[in-house]
Structures are given as structure tokens and as C-alpha cells.
Amino acid sequence: MVEPLKIALAGLGTVGTGVVRLIETNAELIARRAGRPIRITAVSARDRTKDRGVDLSPYAWEDDPSAMASRDDVDVVVELVGGSDGPALTLARGAIKHGKGLVTANKAMIAHHGLELAASAEQAGVPLKFEAAVAGGIPVIKGLSEGAAANAIDRVYGILNGTCNYILSTMEDTGADFGDVLADAQRLGYAEADPTFDIEGIDAAHKLSILAAIAFGTRLRFDAVETMGVSRVKAADIEQARSLGYVIRLIGTAEIDGSETAPRLFQRVRPHLVPFDHPLAHVDGATNAVVAEGNFMGRLLFQGAGAGDGPTASAVVADIIDIARGEKGAAFSMPAGDLEAMEPAPTGHRLSRSYIRFTVPDRPGVLADITAAMRDAGVSIESLIQKGDPDDDGEVILALVTHVVPESAVSEAMRILEGSDSLTAQPLVMQIIGD
């Protein structure tokens, strides 16, 4: 009789209960694929009395999740508590210290402490796996660290946050403004009561920093991700983008910048205009998609459900199956000590076309002020759009698209216009992808 792999599960929200349900429902299939049964022995959550729709009576209950790390009847700890620090990090450190494997879906903890945890896991000789931390049920971490292991990855980018993608694609479909769609998303459960991490790009930045470390063999640098969310995108921007042949998507991009004497790591999360014929333009709703470009494999597209109990639980259990098979491997596709420390890349020299939206008073001379600032900064204007009548405040939306110019030139134009009475709000700058 093959000894089962015994797991303890901390966190019984939608993903945690999804893991319980999946292991129970597909127990025989999982055992055949893993080569041994997988058995839950202990669980932990904040409220023991809550009805979660699954029978937890067969499992030992721990009020303190950190106690699961030292249980004799546990081989692997599954951490689904969440949060970069606090109980989640205490449990993760304790599990590794006591020689337990660790599986987590916690992108914030990995982005902030992944290097420490990976080094500790290697020293203890235990596996650390976190497929579910990036893009839910999409096996992008396995795809990069295993399927693309022989390639030098040139760039990795994509749509990494389902909440933002749902909001932007719904704005396209309905013409509604950001605040109204966000409220609906919260009512439907697509957005948290406090959506800050999602709509300001922080969640996507966590995921991007993890993908960059795996793709390029670099040390995690979440602190160096240039981040801007979608909260300033208006329905007018969506309409103007469509008239130009684009949709707006929150895109995370990472690549190695070789323009300096030493290579540097470029990481950015911000809304972009995406051409209609680009694969990411057709990623709608809460779907995630990641594109990886390698020197021999070419372009790979990973696309699927980026969240939800079923897809995320599937990724968690896939990691558990790998451990049951005896697969350890380095958490970031190479030993933590071999990951290269790389400084953040400057961005001013990067060339792109940009969309710039201005909110301006409806009076003569405004357009002249804006075009003069562009001229003085060396920004060439490709097209200019003004649609609609002034609103109740006497303001109009003015948008322009630049020719390909250095980002530093656009930044200089914004500096020149700062404080100008020709603007009634801060301009919104979005790069155009694929040009």
C-alpha cells in the first residue's frame, strides 16, 4: 500500500473549499495521476462555525494555522490565507522550518518574500510551489519554468488582473463610465469591497514581478514595478480608442533592457491601447492572458480563467500532485542563489506612440497651448480628436496620438503643461502596444 501524501489546508474561502471539493470529488483520478493518494488531515480558518458547503468533520481543526506546520500527520502545508505578511508568512516560514512542503496561491507573499522562502526551502530540501499565485488556473509558471526552460525569454507581458479586464471590457460593451461598472462588479462579486489592489494595478504588479523572476532568472523586484491602474480611464477614452482601432487593456510588461552598460530589468503595469488585431484585444471579461516570447520557441499565449474557486483550486492541486510525484525543483526555475540581482531599467529612452487625453475648458487658445508644449518637448502629433459638446462645467475632452517618440519627450511635455490654466485635470497618458 502506497503511503498517502498528507496535507494541511489553511484558509477556507472560495479557493480553499474548492480545493477540498476537488480532492474529494476526483480522489481516485488524482491518486492514479499522482502515484499515491492525497489526503487532507487538518484544516484551519478564522470562523469554525461558518457553513462552507463542504463537510469538514473528517479533518482535524486548528484554530491557529501556524500549529499545522509542526503536526506529525502533515507532509505538505497549503497556505490560502492571503496577505504578504502576518499569519500567512508565519505559517509559510514554519512549514519550511519543520520540513514540510509548501503550496500557496499568495501572490503578495511571494512577490515580497519569495526569495527568502525559496532559499529556505532549498536549504531544508522541501518543495515550494505557487502556480495558483499567477493567473489562477492558467499553468503559466509551469509553462515558463518547464516548457520554455531551454529558451532565453525576451519578453513576458499580458493581462494579469481579471477585475480590471472585466471593468474595461464592460465599459466597451455598455458605454458606462468607470465608477458605475466598478459598482456593478462589486455587486456581482468580480471586485472586492475595497478594490484598491486590483484597480490601481498592485495585484497585477505582484504577479508580473513573479513572472519576471522566473522568465529572466532575476531576483524579485516588486518594488521596481512601475505601476498605474485603470481608475482614471473614462468612457470617452474607450470610445476614442475604438475610433482609432484599439481597445484599452491593463497590461503588465517585463523585459531585459540592454541599452545601458549593464542589463537592467524593465517592469511596468499600466493601461495601454491594444490594436484590434492583437491577441490581447480579444481577451474579455475576467479572463487572464500571458504572452511569452523566446529566442527559439517564438511567441506563446497562455489564456484562461485568472481567478475563481475551480480554476485556482485546480492549480493548487496540480502543485500538490507534483509534490506527490516527488517533483521538487527550484521555485524560480533555478536555485535562489543563482538568480541575478538586476537594477531597474530607465524608461525615458523607450520609443512608443502614445495616446494622451486632456480635460480642458471650452475656450480659445487651449489647443495652441497644448500643441506649443508638444512642439517645445519635441513631440510630433499624429492625430487629434475632440468630440462632443462641453459638459455642465464647461469642459471638453481633447485627445491626441503622438508619432513614435522617446517617453522622456512626452514626460517633458506634461511637465511644461503642469499647472497650466488650459487644463482642468491631470492628463492621462497611455502607450500604444504593437506599434
Side-chain angles (χ1 to χ4, degrees):
M1 185 71 179
V2 181
E3 185 71 18
L5 183 76
K6 300 180 287 293
I7 69 169
L9 179 61
L12 292 169
T14 56
V15 176
T17 54
V19 169
V20 174
R21 195 173 293 114
L22 177 54
I23 289 176
E24 291 179 346
T25 302
N26 291 352
E28 183 180 348
L29 175 65
I30 289 170
R32 284 162 50 204
R33 289 181 172 165
R36 59 196 292 198
I38 291 173
R39 180 184 302 160
I40 301 171
T41 56
V43 295
S44 179
R46 280 182 292 185
D47 183 358
R48 188 169 185 168
T49 63
K50 182 179 179 180
D51 181 7
R52 296 174 170 85
V54 293
D55 181 11
L56 300 174
S57 61
Y59 317 127
W61 182 280
E62 292 283 2
D63 290 316
D64 179 4
S66 63
M68 296 195 298
S70 58
R71 288 182 65 102
D72 293 334
D73 60 349
V74 171
D75 303 310
V76 175
V77 170
V78 179
E79 183 279 308
L80 301 173
V81 176
S84 61
D85 297 285
L89 184 58
T90 300
L91 175 59
R93 286 170 171 165
I96 294 170
K97 178 182 177 182
H98 286 90
K100 316 293 187 187
L102 177 65
V103 174
T104 180
N106 190 336
K107 83 277 292 185
M109 182 177 72
I110 296 298
H112 286 276
H113 304 287
L115 193 63
E116 170 212 327
L117 294 174
S120 298
E122 289 169 19
Q123 186 174 6
V126 298
L128 166 64
K129 293 186 176 291
F130 44 83
E131 181 67 66
V134 178
I138 307 172
V140 62
I141 290 177
K142 187 181 288 288
L144 289 176
S145 60
E146 297 180 16
N151 280 254
I153 305 297
D154 302 314
R155 182 165 64 137
V156 59
Y157 62 101
I159 295 168
L160 300 172
N161 184 270
T163 298
C164 290
N165 208 57
Y166 172 83
I167 290 171
L168 292 172
S169 58
T170 302
M171 289 171 70
E172 289 168 19
D173 294 339
T174 64
D177 226 326
F178 177 85
D180 296 329
V181 178
L182 173 60
D184 283 342
Q186 289 173 312
R187 180 177 54 82
L188 295 169
Y190 289 115
E192 301 286 347
D194 180 359
T196 304
F197 264 45
D198 290 318
I199 66 174
E200 298 305 336
I202 299 167
D203 174 82
H206 284 144
K207 298 169 184 174
L208 183 68
S209 66
I210 295 169
L211 287 178
I214 294 168
F216 309 127
T218 54
R219 295 168 72 91
L220 281 156
R221 286 299 307 268
F222 166 72
D223 63 313
V225 182
E226 179 190 319
T227 306
M228 184 176 83
V230 300
S231 58
R232 295 181 56 221
V233 176
K234 296 178 178 290
D237 298 314
I238 302 284
E239 181 185 354
Q240 310 246 28
R242 180 187 288 116
S243 70
L244 294 166
Y246 301 95
V247 297
I248 298 175
R249 294 289 183 266
L250 184 73
I251 305 291
T253 305
E255 62 187 18
I256 302 299
D257 188 324
S259 63
E260 301 287 308
T261 304
R264 292 172 179 256
L265 179 61
F266 171 77
Q267 301 177 100
R268 170 184 284 169
V269 171
R270 66 186 307 160
H272 287 71
L273 272 65
V274 182
F276 286 158
D277 60 357
H278 193 283
L280 295 183
H282 306 286
V283 179
D284 297 324
T287 304
N288 282 191
V290 178
V291 178
E293 297 173 352
N295 62 341
F296 274 72
M297 70 187 185
R299 175 188 286 181
L300 294 180
L301 172 65
F302 303 87
Q303 182 175 336
D309 56 345
T312 307
S314 295
V316 170
V317 177
D319 278 345
I320 297 170
I321 291 172
D322 278 351
I323 295 173
R325 291 169 173 166
E327 298 173 12
K328 293 183 180 179
F332 291 95
S333 77
M334 64 179 64
D338 292 342
L339 296 173
E340 185 177 358
M342 200 170 285
E343 290 300 311
T347 59
H349 68 285
R350 298 180 68 86
L351 300 174
S352 67
R353 293 169 66 224
S354 294
Y355 165 95
I356 310 173
R357 182 251 290 154
F358 300 94
T359 307
V360 302
D362 184 34
R363 63 170 175 76
V366 167
L367 183 56
D369 289 345
I370 291 173
T371 55
M374 296 293 155
R375 178 203 63 210
D376 293 345
V379 177
S380 176
I381 299 173
E382 178 184 294
S383 59
L384 190 145
I385 309 168
Q386 179 179 334
K387 291 184 179 179
D389 297 323
D391 62 16
D392 293 340
D393 296 322
E395 298 175 338
V396 294
I397 298 295
L398 178 69
L400 61 84
V401 174
T402 74
H403 284 289
V404 176
V405 295
E407 291 186 12
S408 59
V410 174
S411 297
E412 174 61 13
M414 298 304 99
R415 188 197 64 78
I416 293 170
L417 287 167
E418 191 173 349
S420 169
D421 60 6
S422 291
L423 304 182
T424 58
Q426 180 185 359
L428 175 66
V429 178
M430 294 185 282
Q431 278 76 39
I432 298 176
I433 257 186
D435 293 341

